Amino acid sequence: MKHITPRELKTKRLRLRNSDLNVQFLYSHSMICIETQHFHLNRILLLAIGLWPYPISKFVRLQIILFSGILTSFVIFQFTAFITTKCTVDFIIKVFSTAIIFNFYVIIYNMFWINTHHVRNLLKQLQCICNELKDENELAIIKKYGYNTRRCTAIITLLAICSILFAILIPIWPQIFGTVLHINQSRIQNQAIQITTEYFIDQEKYIFLIFLHTNAVLCIGGTTMTATGTMILGCFIHACGMFHIASYRIEQAMSTKMLKNINLKNQTMINKKIFYAVEIHRKAMKFIDMLISSFEGSFLLLIMFCVISLSLNIFAVFYNASLGNKEALLLHLSFVFAIYLYMFLTNYIGQEVTNYSNNVYSTAYNVRWYMAPLHTQKMILFILQKGSITFDVNIAGLFVMSLQCFATLTKASMSYFTFMYSTQQ
């Protein structure tokens, strides 16, 4: 056995260390970390409300119970108003128009809390798909859609912050004007309370505690809708990226350069690329099906509440406009805007998924598949057969997320509003 001197041993260790560093450098430049690179802002938002699916400590469990309790209690205190107040049609509409909005927060918060393991599995599956990408152009494609996810999240977060501040400042406006114009304080407090609640206490005496509870609900609920909505939106955007990669692989496999010289080596390469295109197309569809099935019941409930709440809040807008109640009018207008935006974004991304899936079919149809080897033609035929049936984001077989669905839901909401408004004439 050859004797190794201490100097040689030291040199060998340095070489091994340098090689390890090179491997780490190459790994860091070729691999994508979904959580820290593409869902960084989503992670911060979900951590703020205790819904990030990774390590759930005792503090996070306490945070979840506290936030869920705050959101649920506010909905309960709105419905308790029926105990102390005479139930008229106008009063019922007034309570339900706001109570259903805040019930959104409860449903969405608990939806993510219960399905934490599903969110974790979705992120793991997405990370595995990204780890399998080796081609520089494919990595560039998925990074582009990661950038789109970050950009959409940032824009929606900014809109949410502005909306929350607007909703918080609405009750304070009368107090500001009261200080300047010397308006009676009791009148200010009555104008300031636009959301009907019953705490079974002297509301004028504990007005600031009630405001604190209301503002806490607005902040927690607004963050919940933003964090969970952008998280699901980001998953759909990455699914569009997978469909884009599938189209890219088909184009590369059936390029003119490949088809000009079909030898054994090129034939093997074409078959391999088509196989990978079929594989990522299948994974994209499976990923979307997994996403929808994880939240299917909650999505159905949210769709139903969206239609009802939109009808009630449009009615409240017209009702308060006729009474000249500007603070309540602005509050209900902000609710209408938020519901419309939520419905539009949800259906728009569903339409985009369908379009990207159809684009894979179009790409496979338009390439020179007839010049490819017989085995490759059979694989492309498989894509064409799958593409002949439109891939839709289908919720329980009742709703297909698309712009047509958005128009249908809006039409249904306007129909219910028209019915309510006609009965009040």
Side-chain angles (χ1 to χ4, degrees), residues 49 51 60-78 102-103 105-107 109-110 113 199 213-214 216-217 220-221 224:
I49 54 175
L51 293 180
V60 172
R61 287 193 180 93
L62 181 64
Q63 185 183 10
I64 290 170
I65 293 169
L66 178 64
F67 285 0
S68 182
I70 290 172
L71 295 174
T72 307
S73 63
F74 193 72
V75 175
I76 292 170
F77 286 134
Q78 287 182 75
F102 290 101
N103 206 29
Y105 298 159
V106 178
I107 294 169
Y109 194 92
N110 288 288
W113 180 15
Y199 288 86
H213 187 202
T214 305
V217 170
I220 296 167
T224 299

Side-chain angles (χ1 to χ4, degrees), residues 28 31-40 143 146 150:
S28 64
M31 305 299 282
I32 297 170
C33 182
I34 289 295
E35 296 171 24
T36 58
Q37 294 179 14
H38 295 185
F39 290 96
H40 178 65
K143 284 178 181 177
R150 294 195 304 272

Side-chain angles (χ1 to χ4, degrees), residues 145-165:
Y145 287 89
Y147 170 75
N148 290 342
T149 299
R150 294 195 304 272
R151 185 176 60 178
C152 289
T153 303
I155 293 170
I156 293 170
T157 303
L158 186 62
L159 280 173
I161 291 170
C162 295
S163 301
I164 292 168
L165 287 174

Side-chain angles (χ1 to χ4, degrees), residues 159 163 310 332-342:
L159 280 173
S163 301
L310 187 59
H332 290 289
L333 271 175
S334 63
F335 286 157
V336 169
F337 173 75
I339 296 167
Y340 264 121
L341 182 63
Y342 199 81

Side-chain angles (χ1 to χ4, degrees), residues 315-333:
F315 178 83
V317 166
F318 279 85
Y319 181 75
N320 286 286
S322 64
L323 295 177
N325 192 342
K326 295 179 181 178
E327 289 80 18
L329 174 64
L330 288 172
L331 182 68
H332 290 289
L333 271 175

